[in-house]
Amino acid sequence: MNLSTTLAGIPLNSCILNASGPRDTTLEELQALQTSESAAIMMKSCTIDSRPGNPEPRYVEFTGGAQQSMGLPNHGYQAYLEYAQILKETSPKPIVASVSGLSPEDNLHIIQAFQDTPVDAIELNLSCPNIPGKPQTAYDLTATDRLLEQIQSTKPLGLKLPPLLDPALVRDFCSCITQHQVSFVTLINSVGNTLVIDPATDRPIIKPKHGLGGLSGSMIKPIALGNVWMFHEALKDTQIDIIGVGGISFGRDVYDFLLAGATAVQIGTAYQSENIPVFSRLNQELLQVFAEKKIASVDTIRGTLQEYQ
Ligand code: DHB
């Protein structure tokens, strides 16, 4: 019995890794992930230039979830080219770059720059909800198609997507991406443009974008699972893998995402709140679920969710 999996042709010794965003911006944070039980090192979404991000308060946890509008604070893509080099010198753990350029040209430039580095894959973030004036690209299928048409990557390319809330949207999206060289989709980014009001002050809990920000944590798990299940249906006869993300707090949550069709999962909000020990806890809990159900491997259960007859 083991938790290993293969994502976009890359062997991983567990199906559990960190999500881009929390605690993956600095070299020190990435080195902590390297020695952790996270199966890979996902790096913070990067832009051409370094950014301080949005004004605070910009990340607030509450019962059942968190809301954030970080605004892409990062060190600029050149720092992450260098961090990848440094990380690879000490261990072979897979590294995934997350690219979130502020324009199609920026994305093409950054993806090109990562080609000659030791990163194992690139996750193109088409779903950051937090930059005023920059709509989430994945909600514009024409723009997505045009961008994918121009990308040339020898590294496996994945797309980080926002929730798509209807099977027809999912089918249209999948018809588009199967025309291009996409190796995996990561579902879902935080649910964008939500509003949470603080009863003590009658104000939004975060400052940026009039209080609108991305919702994450256990309350979004059914949305994420629904997206994984819809994409699994649309992609099951293709080579495109699914990474599930959204509200995973326990081993049982990971198991649910595997049943719905995920090949691996990412941990965001729970990693932010529990830090590095979250990965060993979730691996242990998932092993326990596998043992109780006599499951030998991730491969044997992926996408096997049984419906009512
Ligand atoms: C940020 C938030 C996201 O949900 C995302 O995909 C990328 C960046 C942020 O605000 O930094």
Side-chain angles (χ1 to χ4, degrees):
M1 183 177 75
N2 73 82
L3 303 182
S4 67
T5 190
T6 302
L7 177 74
I10 304 161
L12 299 179
N13 59 18
S14 161
C15 58
I16 302 173
L17 53 138
N18 69 299
S20 184
R23 303 183 191 276
D24 60 354
T25 300
T26 67
L27 180 58
E28 291 69 28
E29 289 168 332
L30 296 167
Q31 285 168 329
L33 284 164
Q34 187 167 40
T35 53
S36 77
E37 282 195 31
S38 175
I41 308 167
M42 269 295 319
M43 301 198 287
K44 172 69 183 171
S45 287
C46 64
T47 49
I48 296 276
D49 298 313
S50 68
R51 293 169 54 87
N54 288 338
E56 295 182 348
R58 61 187 190 181
Y59 185 94
V60 178
E61 280 180 26
F62 46 87
T63 311
Q67 193 207 21
Q68 53 81 24
S69 179
M70 302 303 289
L72 287 169
N74 78 95
H75 296 173
Y77 79 99
Q78 283 170 325
Y80 297 95
L81 305 177
E82 199 181 310
Y83 297 166
Q85 197 73 49
I86 294 167
L87 291 163
K88 215 46 153 187
E89 279 161 17
T90 45
S91 122
K93 184 179 276 197
I95 304 170
V96 186
S98 172
V99 175
S100 196
L102 300 180
S103 68
E105 295 70 33
D106 287 5
N107 281 322
L108 292 170
H109 183 85
I110 301 170
I111 290 169
Q112 185 57 40
F114 274 109
Q115 299 301 311
D116 300 320
T117 67
V119 304
D120 296 272
I122 297 171
E123 188 180 86
L124 174 61
N125 182 0
L126 298 180
S127 48
C128 177
N130 298 332
I131 308 297
K134 302 275 181 197
Q136 296 163 82
T137 307
Y139 285 136
D140 180 343
L141 196 49
T142 309
T144 299
D145 190 44
R146 209 179 301 131
L147 175 59
L148 293 178
E149 208 169 79
Q150 295 178 77
I151 293 174
Q152 289 185 341
S153 179
T154 57
K155 310 274 186 191
L157 179 79
L159 304 178
K160 175 87 170 270
L161 303 181
L164 298 180
L165 297 177
D166 192 276
L169 292 175
V170 172
R171 279 194 298 272
D172 287 350
F173 199 91
C174 291
S175 302
C176 168
I177 64 174
T178 49
Q179 310 293 313
H180 300 288
Q181 278 204 325
V182 173
S183 300
F184 63 97
V185 286
T186 305
L187 313 165
I188 58 174
N189 205 323
S190 55
V191 177
N193 300 299
T194 60
L195 177 66
V196 181
I197 298 174
D198 181 350
T201 61
D202 290 353
R203 290 205 218 172
I205 60 173
I206 57 169
K207 180 172 180 183
K209 256 187 95 173
H210 312 287
L212 297 172
L215 189 68
S216 64
S218 57
M219 58 171 57
I220 72 162
K221 183 186 149 191
I223 303 174
L225 262 185
N227 266 250
V228 169
W229 189 221
M230 286 191 283
F231 272 81
H232 173 71
E233 178 60 30
L235 295 176
K236 62 179 189 287
D237 299 325
T238 75
Q239 300 271 72
I240 301 176
D241 287 327
I242 297 172
I243 304 181
V245 51
I248 295 173
S249 317
F250 302 103
R252 172 70 215 203
D253 298 324
V254 181
Y255 180 72
D256 291 347
F257 276 88
L258 300 178
L259 285 180
T263 284
V265 301
Q266 295 177 346
I267 312 302
T269 306
Y271 170 43
Q272 176 63 36
S273 67
E274 281 177 56
N275 214 333
I276 292 293
V278 78
F279 299 106
S280 52
R281 179 177 66 77
L282 290 173
N283 277 314
Q284 285 310 314
E285 289 177 6
L286 183 59
L287 278 170
Q288 187 69 35
V289 175
F290 275 27
E292 280 161 15
K293 294 176 180 291
K294 304 198 186 337
I295 288 159
S297 69
V298 168
D299 269 0
T300 56
I301 52 156
R302 184 186 330 108
T304 62
L305 183 64
Q306 296 295 306
E307 301 173 37
Y308 285 106
Q309 291 305 318

